[in-house]
Amino acid sequence: MHFDVAIIGAGPGGSAAAMTAARAGLKVLLCEKGGYGRDKVCGDGLTPRAIGALQDLKVDFSPAHRIEGLRMIAGKKERELLWPSNTAFPNHGAVWPRQRFDQYLVDIAIAAGADVRFNSEALPAFDAGKVVGVEVGGEVIRASLVVLAAGAHTPSVIWKRL
Ligand SMILES: Cc1cc2nc3c(=O)[nH]c(=O)nc-3n(C[C@H](O)[C@H](O)[C@H](O)COP(=O)(O)OP(=O)(O)OC[C@H]3O[C@@H](n4cnc5c(N)ncnc54)[C@H](O)[C@@H]3O)c2cc1C
């Protein structure tokens, strides 16, 4: 089986890539080593820039809890700041627990037609020094393009292969 795009990692980066490519009519494989609904350690905050990115992706962010600014606490001092307006981004942010946020995005990627495989740890597959797809469970799945979206803790085994 050949895919146009194979993506390693179904966090926001991987799901955004998957939905964009699938909506463009490409045949997309998205491999996630965790299960459906896996959680991610995070502060769950979405800045106005992130809200802008979701708007660009035409993702409905109404399930998120909207926030108008930030409260900063240092010792006994507390400051509340509104998000800036008149910028390139919306004037609000949001809080969206990652388990729900990531699942929401991956559901959109699935609805757009991406073939999403959970509990599937993937590595880039090489042939003659070129990345030719991904290796999942000992099987090589070929793809014209491979996107590495495995997050900050990209396993060193991936870097060693590159
Ligand atoms: C404590 C903490 C608090 C944070 N708070 C915030 C915040 O409030 N706001 C904010 O914007 N950012 C915050 N961040 C940063 C934010 O979590 C990351 O920027 C974001 O998750 C990156 O998204 P991503 O899609 O690139 O990677 P990730 O969300 O890390 O997703 C990568 C995915 O790839 C999968 N994966 C990894 N290796 C493989 C493999 N070999 N095969 C298949 N799947 C694989 C993982 O299971 C994971 O699902 C915080 C980070 C931490 C650690």
Side-chain angles (χ1 to χ4, degrees):
M1 188 179 287
H2 185 276
F3 287 85
D4 297 312
V5 188
I7 301 161
I8 301 176
S15 288
M19 70 178 75
T20 303
R23 284 169 177 168
L26 300 179
K27 196 170 174 197
V28 178
L29 173 68
L30 175 57
C31 297
E32 167 55 47
K33 72 175 178 182
Y36 179 69
R38 71 99 183 90
D39 206 355
K40 157 83 174 72
V41 175
C42 191
D44 301 339
L46 296 174
T47 60
R49 181 188 288 258
I51 297 294
L54 292 176
Q55 284 176 335
D56 289 345
L57 287 166
K58 302 197 177 358
V59 167
D60 169 23
F61 50 86
S62 59
H65 173 73
R66 179 179 166 128
I67 51 171
E68 309 301 329
L70 293 174
R71 181 179 301 144
M72 297 185 289
I73 301 166
K76 290 182 179 164
K77 288 195 176 165
E78 209 173 295
R79 294 278 183 275
E80 289 194 6
L81 297 173
L82 291 176
W83 293 113
S85 54
N86 302 322
T87 67
F89 306 116
N91 65 351
H92 68 94
V95 174
W96 202 340
R98 285 295 299 272
Q99 191 172 18
R100 298 210 292 267
F101 178 48
D102 291 21
Q103 190 173 319
Y104 189 84
L105 295 181
V106 90
D107 282 344
I108 294 173
I110 292 169
D115 179 345
V116 185
R117 301 190 189 174
F118 299 99
N119 304 304
S120 296
E121 188 156 7
L123 293 170
F126 287 82
D127 189 3
K130 282 188 174 173
V131 176
V132 293
V134 290
E135 191 182 315
V136 188
E139 180 197 0
V140 172
I141 304 173
R142 296 182 88 86
S144 304
L145 183 74
V146 174
V147 177
L148 184 56
H153 299 290
T154 298
S156 58
V157 64
I158 292 184
W159 295 120
K160 280 182 193 151
R161 284 197 171 199
L162 295 175

mmCIF file of all heavy atoms in Angstrom, residues 113-139:
data_model
loop_
_atom_site.group_PDB
_atom_site.id
_atom_site.type_symbol
_atom_site.label_atom_id
_atom_site.label_comp_id
_atom_site.label_asym_id
_atom_site.label_seq_id
_atom_site.Cartn_x
_atom_site.Cartn_y
_atom_site.Cartn_z
ATOM 1 N N GLY A 113 -10.616 11.857 6.116
ATOM 2 C CA GLY A 113 -10.219 10.717 5.284
ATOM 3 C C GLY A 113 -8.859 10.124 5.609
ATOM 4 O O GLY A 113 -8.415 9.187 4.926
ATOM 5 N N ALA A 114 -8.190 10.657 6.644
ATOM 6 C CA ALA A 114 -6.873 10.096 6.995
ATOM 7 C C ALA A 114 -7.046 8.701 7.595
ATOM 8 O O ALA A 114 -7.998 8.446 8.333
ATOM 9 C CB ALA A 114 -6.163 11.018 7.985
ATOM 10 N N ASP A 115 -6.111 7.834 7.280
ATOM 11 C CA ASP A 115 -6.075 6.482 7.856
ATOM 12 C C ASP A 115 -5.242 6.594 9.132
ATOM 13 O O ASP A 115 -4.021 6.705 9.077
ATOM 14 C CB ASP A 115 -5.417 5.536 6.838
ATOM 15 C CG ASP A 115 -5.308 4.104 7.343
ATOM 16 O OD1 ASP A 115 -5.474 3.874 8.548
ATOM 17 O OD2 ASP A 115 -5.022 3.217 6.511
ATOM 18 N N VAL A 116 -5.924 6.638 10.282
ATOM 19 C CA VAL A 116 -5.222 6.858 11.546
ATOM 20 C C VAL A 116 -5.071 5.527 12.280
ATOM 21 O O VAL A 116 -6.066 4.814 12.483
ATOM 22 C CB VAL A 116 -5.970 7.878 12.438
ATOM 23 C CG1 VAL A 116 -5.158 8.169 13.696
ATOM 24 C CG2 VAL A 116 -6.217 9.177 11.667
ATOM 25 N N ARG A 117 -3.832 5.221 12.650
ATOM 26 C CA ARG A 117 -3.558 3.949 13.327
ATOM 27 C C ARG A 117 -2.994 4.237 14.715
ATOM 28 O O ARG A 117 -1.937 4.847 14.841
ATOM 29 C CB ARG A 117 -2.586 3.113 12.513
ATOM 30 C CG ARG A 117 -3.159 2.851 11.138
ATOM 31 C CD ARG A 117 -2.383 1.841 10.353
ATOM 32 N NE ARG A 117 -2.886 1.835 8.972
ATOM 33 C CZ ARG A 117 -2.343 1.130 7.997
ATOM 34 N NH1 ARG A 117 -1.290 0.364 8.235
ATOM 35 N NH2 ARG A 117 -2.858 1.180 6.772
ATOM 36 N N PHE A 118 -3.741 3.794 15.723
ATOM 37 C CA PHE A 118 -3.308 3.993 17.111
ATOM 38 C C PHE A 118 -2.481 2.794 17.562
ATOM 39 O O PHE A 118 -2.435 1.764 16.890
ATOM 40 C CB PHE A 118 -4.535 4.190 18.013
ATOM 41 C CG PHE A 118 -5.344 5.405 17.623
ATOM 42 C CD1 PHE A 118 -6.489 5.282 16.851
ATOM 43 C CD2 PHE A 118 -4.929 6.675 17.991
ATOM 44 C CE1 PHE A 118 -7.222 6.398 16.468
ATOM 45 C CE2 PHE A 118 -5.651 7.798 17.614
ATOM 46 C CZ PHE A 118 -6.795 7.657 16.851
ATOM 47 N N ASN A 119 -1.817 2.958 18.701
ATOM 48 C CA ASN A 119 -0.946 1.902 19.235
ATOM 49 C C ASN A 119 0.023 1.438 18.151
ATOM 50 O O ASN A 119 0.318 0.251 18.030
ATOM 51 C CB ASN A 119 -1.787 0.725 19.760
ATOM 52 C CG ASN A 119 -2.801 1.186 20.794
ATOM 53 O OD1 ASN A 119 -2.421 1.790 21.800
ATOM 54 N ND2 ASN A 119 -4.080 0.968 20.541
ATOM 55 N N SER A 120 0.459 2.398 17.344
ATOM 56 C CA SER A 120 1.333 2.092 16.206
ATOM 57 C C SER A 120 2.577 2.961 16.267
ATOM 58 O O SER A 120 2.587 4.095 15.776
ATOM 59 C CB SER A 120 0.599 2.338 14.882
ATOM 60 O OG SER A 120 -0.490 1.469 14.760
ATOM 61 N N GLU A 121 3.604 2.451 16.898
ATOM 62 C CA GLU A 121 4.868 3.187 16.949
ATOM 63 C C GLU A 121 5.521 3.092 15.573
ATOM 64 O O GLU A 121 5.638 2.005 15.007
ATOM 65 C CB GLU A 121 5.786 2.584 18.011
ATOM 66 C CG GLU A 121 7.014 3.422 18.236
ATOM 67 C CD GLU A 121 7.619 3.199 19.615
ATOM 68 O OE1 GLU A 121 7.157 2.292 20.343
ATOM 69 O OE2 GLU A 121 8.562 3.930 19.938
ATOM 70 N N ALA A 122 5.911 4.236 15.040
ATOM 71 C CA ALA A 122 6.451 4.252 13.674
ATOM 72 C C ALA A 122 7.858 4.845 13.669
ATOM 73 O O ALA A 122 8.199 5.689 14.494
ATOM 74 C CB ALA A 122 5.539 5.084 12.771
ATOM 75 N N LEU A 123 8.635 4.397 12.724
ATOM 76 C CA LEU A 123 9.971 4.941 12.500
ATOM 77 C C LEU A 123 10.107 5.239 11.013
ATOM 78 O O LEU A 123 9.476 4.564 10.191
ATOM 79 C CB LEU A 123 11.047 3.916 12.894
ATOM 80 C CG LEU A 123 11.163 3.576 14.379
ATOM 81 C CD1 LEU A 123 12.090 2.399 14.576
ATOM 82 C CD2 LEU A 123 11.658 4.786 15.156
ATOM 83 N N PRO A 124 10.923 6.232 10.652
ATOM 84 C CA PRO A 124 11.143 6.440 9.219
ATOM 85 C C PRO A 124 11.807 5.200 8.616
ATOM 86 O O PRO A 124 12.695 4.616 9.229
ATOM 87 C CB PRO A 124 12.100 7.645 9.180
ATOM 88 C CG PRO A 124 12.065 8.240 10.544
ATOM 89 C CD PRO A 124 11.696 7.153 11.489
ATOM 90 N N ALA A 125 11.369 4.824 7.438
ATOM 91 C CA ALA A 125 11.969 3.669 6.743
ATOM 92 C C ALA A 125 12.881 4.188 5.639
ATOM 93 O O ALA A 125 12.523 5.145 4.929
ATOM 94 C CB ALA A 125 10.869 2.793 6.149
ATOM 95 N N PHE A 126 14.034 3.586 5.501
ATOM 96 C CA PHE A 126 15.033 4.042 4.526
ATOM 97 C C PHE A 126 15.254 3.004 3.443
ATOM 98 O O PHE A 126 15.160 1.801 3.678
ATOM 99 C CB PHE A 126 16.375 4.303 5.222
ATOM 100 C CG PHE A 126 16.378 5.543 6.064
ATOM 101 C CD1 PHE A 126 15.872 5.522 7.346
ATOM 102 C CD2 PHE A 126 16.873 6.741 5.561
ATOM 103 C CE1 PHE A 126 15.864 6.672 8.122
ATOM 104 C CE2 PHE A 126 16.863 7.886 6.324
ATOM 105 C CZ PHE A 126 16.362 7.858 7.611
ATOM 106 N N ASP A 127 15.568 3.523 2.259
ATOM 107 C CA ASP A 127 16.017 2.664 1.160
ATOM 108 C C ASP A 127 17.099 3.454 0.420
ATOM 109 O O ASP A 127 16.821 4.585 -0.019
ATOM 110 C CB ASP A 127 14.840 2.321 0.236
ATOM 111 C CG ASP A 127 15.212 1.256 -0.782
ATOM 112 O OD1 ASP A 127 16.366 0.753 -0.732
ATOM 113 O OD2 ASP A 127 14.364 0.932 -1.633
ATOM 114 N N ALA A 128 18.262 2.917 0.324
ATOM 115 C CA ALA A 128 19.387 3.581 -0.346
ATOM 116 C C ALA A 128 19.605 5.006 0.178
ATOM 117 O O ALA A 128 19.814 5.942 -0.599
ATOM 118 C CB ALA A 128 19.181 3.587 -1.860
ATOM 119 N N GLY A 129 19.512 5.143 1.496
ATOM 120 C CA GLY A 129 19.790 6.441 2.114
ATOM 121 C C GLY A 129 18.663 7.452 2.035
ATOM 122 O O GLY A 129 18.819 8.585 2.489
ATOM 123 N N LYS A 130 17.534 7.048 1.451
ATOM 124 C CA LYS A 130 16.398 7.983 1.343
ATOM 125 C C LYS A 130 15.243 7.495 2.203
ATOM 126 O O LYS A 130 14.997 6.286 2.295
ATOM 127 C CB LYS A 130 15.903 8.050 -0.104
ATOM 128 C CG LYS A 130 16.746 8.902 -1.008
ATOM 129 C CD LYS A 130 16.032 9.043 -2.333
ATOM 130 C CE LYS A 130 16.771 10.015 -3.242
ATOM 131 N NZ LYS A 130 16.189 10.047 -4.575
ATOM 132 N N VAL A 131 14.489 8.447 2.772
ATOM 133 C CA VAL A 131 13.281 8.070 3.505
ATOM 134 C C VAL A 131 12.222 7.690 2.469
ATOM 135 O O VAL A 131 11.905 8.482 1.573
ATOM 136 C CB VAL A 131 12.773 9.231 4.385
ATOM 137 C CG1 VAL A 131 11.466 8.848 5.066
ATOM 138 C CG2 VAL A 131 13.818 9.618 5.426
ATOM 139 N N VAL A 132 11.704 6.478 2.606
ATOM 140 C CA VAL A 132 10.731 5.991 1.605
ATOM 141 C C VAL A 132 9.371 5.697 2.216
ATOM 142 O O VAL A 132 8.449 5.270 1.517
ATOM 143 C CB VAL A 132 11.253 4.721 0.895
ATOM 144 C CG1 VAL A 132 12.468 5.034 0.043
ATOM 145 C CG2 VAL A 132 11.546 3.612 1.896
ATOM 146 N N GLY A 133 9.253 5.915 3.517
ATOM 147 C CA GLY A 133 7.982 5.636 4.174
ATOM 148 C C GLY A 133 8.210 5.450 5.653
ATOM 149 O O GLY A 133 9.155 6.013 6.215
ATOM 150 N N VAL A 134 7.334 4.663 6.270
ATOM 151 C CA VAL A 134 7.475 4.411 7.703
ATOM 152 C C VAL A 134 7.485 2.911 7.961
ATOM 153 O O VAL A 134 6.917 2.126 7.195
ATOM 154 C CB VAL A 134 6.327 5.071 8.509
ATOM 155 C CG1 VAL A 134 6.460 6.579 8.499
ATOM 156 C CG2 VAL A 134 4.954 4.654 7.996
ATOM 157 N N GLU A 135 8.135 2.573 9.071
ATOM 158 C CA GLU A 135 8.173 1.174 9.482
ATOM 159 C C GLU A 135 7.303 1.055 10.729
ATOM 160 O O GLU A 135 7.535 1.736 11.724
ATOM 161 C CB GLU A 135 9.618 0.798 9.796
ATOM 162 C CG GLU A 135 9.840 -0.676 9.974
ATOM 163 C CD GLU A 135 11.297 -0.950 10.327
ATOM 164 O OE1 GLU A 135 12.208 -0.366 9.689
ATOM 165 O OE2 GLU A 135 11.510 -1.723 11.271
ATOM 166 N N VAL A 136 6.296 0.210 10.634
ATOM 167 C CA VAL A 136 5.355 0.034 11.754
ATOM 168 C C VAL A 136 5.240 -1.461 12.021
ATOM 169 O O VAL A 136 4.836 -2.213 11.127
ATOM 170 C CB VAL A 136 3.953 0.598 11.409
ATOM 171 C CG1 VAL A 136 3.048 0.577 12.639
ATOM 172 C CG2 VAL A 136 4.041 1.997 10.846
ATOM 173 N N GLY A 137 5.601 -1.859 13.230
ATOM 174 C CA GLY A 137 5.485 -3.282 13.581
ATOM 175 C C GLY A 137 6.220 -4.186 12.616
ATOM 176 O O GLY A 137 5.731 -5.251 12.262
ATOM 177 N N GLY A 138 7.391 -3.743 12.163
ATOM 178 C CA GLY A 138 8.203 -4.579 11.273
ATOM 179 C C GLY A 138 7.799 -4.476 9.809
ATOM 180 O O GLY A 138 8.486 -4.992 8.930
ATOM 181 N N GLU A 139 6.670 -3.794 9.531
ATOM 182 C CA GLU A 139 6.207 -3.669 8.135
ATOM 183 C C GLU A 139 6.599 -2.282 7.599
ATOM 184 O O GLU A 139 6.460 -1.271 8.303
ATOM 185 C CB GLU A 139 4.677 -3.799 8.103
ATOM 186 C CG GLU A 139 4.069 -3.693 6.722
ATOM 187 C CD GLU A 139 2.541 -3.417 6.759
ATOM 188 O OE1 GLU A 139 1.985 -3.323 7.862
ATOM 189 O OE2 GLU A 139 1.953 -3.275 5.684
#
